[in-house]
Amino acid sequence: MAEIKEACGVVGMYGPEGENVAPSLYYGLTALQHRGQEACGMAVSRTDRERGNVCFHKDLGLVSEVLTKEVLEKMDGNIGLGHVRYSTTGASVAENAQPLVLSYIKGTLALAHNGNLINTPQLKWELIQNGAIFHTTTDSEVIAFHIARERVHSATVEEAVYKTALKIKGGYALVIMSPRKLIGVRDPHGLKPLCLGKREETYVFASESCALEAGYAAWRGGHDFRRGDSFADAAERRKVCALYFRVHLFCQTGQRHGRGAGVRCQNPCGENARKILSRGGGSGDGRAGVGA
């Protein structure tokens, strides 16, 4: 049994009505403890305050050991994410604990990652040539740096995440927090799990449904992001985004681009893309699930 490991676990929550999500994140991480026992952490922020007000804590150890009562009392935010880790890339040291929190010209970016990339060396070398300095030995930091770099040249954080997802290769599930938005992403083949739930007006991303149940959230769209996932109103779309990258993408005009076509949407979160998804057009295995 000593050799058996599960996988890292991620959870994210956004409460538009201002509730403190830190306690629910704690219970969600506890429910995901079986997916990683080496390290854990949490980051929360207030969307109604100035950008950059992120409070985070992470360290080696179990959820109950790292996120103690004293730590949780200092955590206050209506948007946040958490992570439980076992090392697949990078050593088992405190520096590699997640979530990763970056400060850059556009504000702050927090990321929780489950999975592995197969093109990390190429992506990392590209960043090093442009002067990047790494503080961890994980591929998660490479993803975060690419999102931050793309964000500088993108109109929205969703677009930056989309551009980055086109670069990275492997099996992964990501939960990403910007100062005002929460984004969930799965790899094109759906190798790593990520489900979406809702509790009243609060949205929840999690690696497994047990984390949703721990936070009293109901599933939305079943176990995983499914075709047709979208959000009911513009306020929801601005705050929560679910990107489910499949082998076929749909551009704004509704034109379908097949596997390996190398063509991407000008605006993957555009209104036409949402209409295509909401009516379930196209084939069952071709989808870019967008909800922001």
Side-chain angles (χ1 to χ4, degrees), residues 43 48 79 94 126 135 143 147 224 232 237 248 256 286-287:
D48 55 355
I79 187 170
E126 179 184 343
H135 301 283
I143 298 173
I147 293 173
D224 307 312
R237 289 196 297 266
H248 298 287
R256 180 179 171 186
R287 198 63 35 194

Side-chain angles (χ1 to χ4, degrees), residues 7 33 61 83 98 133 138 154 182 216 236 246-247 252-254 291:
Q33 185 73 88
H83 186 270
Q98 293 187 42
I133 299 174
T138 67
S154 302
L182 188 68
Y216 304 103
E236 289 180 346
R246 302 291 290 181
V247 294
Q252 281 187 290
T253 61

Side-chain angles (χ1 to χ4, degrees), residues 197-219:
K198 188 178 183 183
R199 182 188 65 199
E200 296 179 350
E201 298 304 315
T202 299
Y203 285 92
V204 187
F205 290 118
S207 294
E208 297 182 20
S209 60
C210 61
L212 304 182
E213 295 161 359
Y216 304 103
W219 289 3

Side-chain angles (χ1 to χ4, degrees), residues 31 55 78 85-86 94 104 128-129 134 156 174 180 187 203 207 215 218 260 276:
C55 178
N78 67 318
R85 179 178 191 264
Y86 86 84
Y104 68 118
I128 290 173
Q129 287 182 310
F134 291 89
T156 64
L174 306 171
R180 301 288 185 266
D187 66 85
Y203 285 92
S207 294
I276 293 168

